[in-house]
């Protein structure tokens, strides 16, 4: 197939391009040439879809499908969809489960209410505070131009794997590799639902090759690891002497430790987020999604980091991880509390 991949130089896009080339497809990438190096073997087009002029390099070209793995501004996606509607019969867009409006019930499936969005909305790609609304607007832009039958909306969950441009799993790996006492949040049995970037890529390419339209939550159908297994696997694959110190969530919150950012992938077990790690993956599973063991993702991410891989954070992405000084303060407060209890 002749595939047009928008972006295609980091994390999800890079993985899609590499896998598509490995399947024997002809791949053209379209990007500004600012984020990273194009994968060897592609035809690289330079342009900027934030303007009508910037999208002109796509004029007169024909493709079997467009894959858009990173669109963040609805108006940009709408412009891309319109520019390719007459030259490509199918459009695949990688969205996010963050488009869902509430997380207080489980499971969260594709019928759940989403945030409102507008297909023509402008905005700053780095303004991740509007990610939920903007991603929904991007979905609507694709559906408006291509229709549901000729488009794939792949709502990815929390993504891990090599070439990570977010930095959550890499932070745990690098921190645990340093050794010593490491703060571990909440209940070790707390389930997590994480998807490897390579499994997303295989699923999207399979759907593109079959021209199979639809909206799917691209997540494991159920939790596929726990916070305890995450920490223990990081200890094992890094060969570290780190000692996890499990602290209850109330204590961590009282110390001002921020969930998700300071302790990546930690979402407190509270009623209003009861569905966060309970997104239904049944639709994607029925359509062919297969997920690898989580331990493989941890091992391969560590091997990537050891071989010189470095997280190139996407614009607007917050820095992940707990500062060393704060970590030591929280550990000291925990020790003091434990001593007082005894």
């Amino acid at each position: 197939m002749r595939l047009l991949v928008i972006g295609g130089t980091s994390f999800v896009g890079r993985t899609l391009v590499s896998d598509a080339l490995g399947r024997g497809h002809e791949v053209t990438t379209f990007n500004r040439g600012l984020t990273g190096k194009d994968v060897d073997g592609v035809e690289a087009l330079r342009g900027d879809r934030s303007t009508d002029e910037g999208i002109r390099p796509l004029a007169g070209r024909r493709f079997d499908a467009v894959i858009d793995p990173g669109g963040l501004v609805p108006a940009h996606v709408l412009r891309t969809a319109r520019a390719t509607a007459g030259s490509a019969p199918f459009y695949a867009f990688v969205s996010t489960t963050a488009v869902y409006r509430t997380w207080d019930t489980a499971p969260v499936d594709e019928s759940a209410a989403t945030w409102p969005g507008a297909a023509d909305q402008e905005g700053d790609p780095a303004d991740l505070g509007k990610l939920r609304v903007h991603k929904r607007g991007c979905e609507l832009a694709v559906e408006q131009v291509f229709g549901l039958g000729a488009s794939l909306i792949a709502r990815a969950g929390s993504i891990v794997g090599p070439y990570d441009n977010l930095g959550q799993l890499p932070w745990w790996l690098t921190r645990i590799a340093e050794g010593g006492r490491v703060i571990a949040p909440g209940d070790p049995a707390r389930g997590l639902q994480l998807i490897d970037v390579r499994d997303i890529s295989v699923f999207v390419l399979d759907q593109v090759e079959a021209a199979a339209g639809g909206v799917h939550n691209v997540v494991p159908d159920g939790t596929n690891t726990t916070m305890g297994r995450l920490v223990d696997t990081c200890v094992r694959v890094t060969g570290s002497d780190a000692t996890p110190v499990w602290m209850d969530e109330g204590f961590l919150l009282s110390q001002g430790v921020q969930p998700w950012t300071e302790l990546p992938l930690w979402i407190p077990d509270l009623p209003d987020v009861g569905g966060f790690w309970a997104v239904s993956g049944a639709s994607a599973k029925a359509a062919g999604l297969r997920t690898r063991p989580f331990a493989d993702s941890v091992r391969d991410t560590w091997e990537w980091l050891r071989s010189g891989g470095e997280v190139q954070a996407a614009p607007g992405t917050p820095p992940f991880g707990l500062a060393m000084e704060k970590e030591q303060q929280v550990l000291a407060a925990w020790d003091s509390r434990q001593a007082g209890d005894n």
Side-chain angles (χ1 to χ4, degrees), residues 317-329:
T317 303
F320 288 105
L322 194 60
M324 183 180 300
E325 182 179 358
K326 185 170 182 178
E327 180 184 41
Q328 293 307 309
Q329 290 172 349

Side-chain angles (χ1 to χ4, degrees), residues 103-158:
W103 297 94
D104 54 355
T105 58
V108 178
D109 64 20
E110 289 83 358
S111 68
T114 59
W115 287 93
D120 59 352
Q121 185 175 6
E122 295 283 358
D124 180 357
D127 184 3
L128 298 187
K130 295 180 179 177
L131 174 71
R132 299 168 295 183
V133 173
H134 281 175
K135 276 290 194 178
R136 179 56 183 149
C138 292
E139 293 180 356
L140 293 172
V142 173
E143 293 173 8
Q144 176 180 306
V145 177
F146 279 81
L148 288 174
S151 63
L152 170 70
I153 304 298
R155 291 174 177 162
S158 296

Side-chain angles (χ1 to χ4, degrees), residues 37-205:
K37 182 180 179 294
D38 284 287
V39 177
D40 291 340
V42 305
E43 176 194 20
L45 296 180
R46 296 288 179 251
D48 184 347
R49 58 178 173 167
S50 66
T51 67
D52 291 338
E53 182 63 31
I55 207 84
R56 290 191 187 281
L58 297 179
R61 291 175 171 267
R62 304 197 68 81
F63 304 97
D64 295 306
V66 179
I67 302 177
D68 190 340
L72 292 169
V73 178
H76 299 180
V77 174
L78 181 62
R79 184 175 286 111
T80 309
R82 286 173 172 169
T84 56
S87 58
F90 193 85
Y91 199 110
F93 179 72
V94 179
S95 187
T96 170
T97 55
V99 299
Y100 295 119
R101 189 155 191 164
T102 58
W103 297 94
D104 54 355
T105 58
V108 178
D109 64 20
E110 289 83 358
S111 68
T114 59
W115 287 93
D120 59 352
Q121 185 175 6
E122 295 283 358
D124 180 357
D127 184 3
L128 298 187
K130 295 180 179 177
L131 174 71
R132 299 168 295 183
V133 173
H134 281 175
K135 276 290 194 178
R136 179 56 183 149
C138 292
E139 293 180 356
L140 293 172
V142 173
E143 293 173 8
Q144 176 180 306
V145 177
F146 279 81
L148 288 174
S151 63
L152 170 70
I153 304 298
R155 291 174 177 162
S158 296
I159 309 172
V160 295
Y163 297 93
D164 191 323
N165 67 349
L166 301 172
Q168 294 175 297
L169 178 56
W171 180 82
W172 278 109
L173 283 162
T174 53
R175 171 60 193 91
I176 286 174
E178 292 171 0
R181 301 171 75 212
V182 179
I183 294 173
D187 181 359
R190 170 81 155 134
L192 305 179
Q193 193 177 30
L194 306 171
I195 183 78
D196 192 291
V197 65
R198 295 164 294 183
D199 296 333
I200 296 173
S201 176
V202 169
F203 178 77
V204 169
L205 289 172

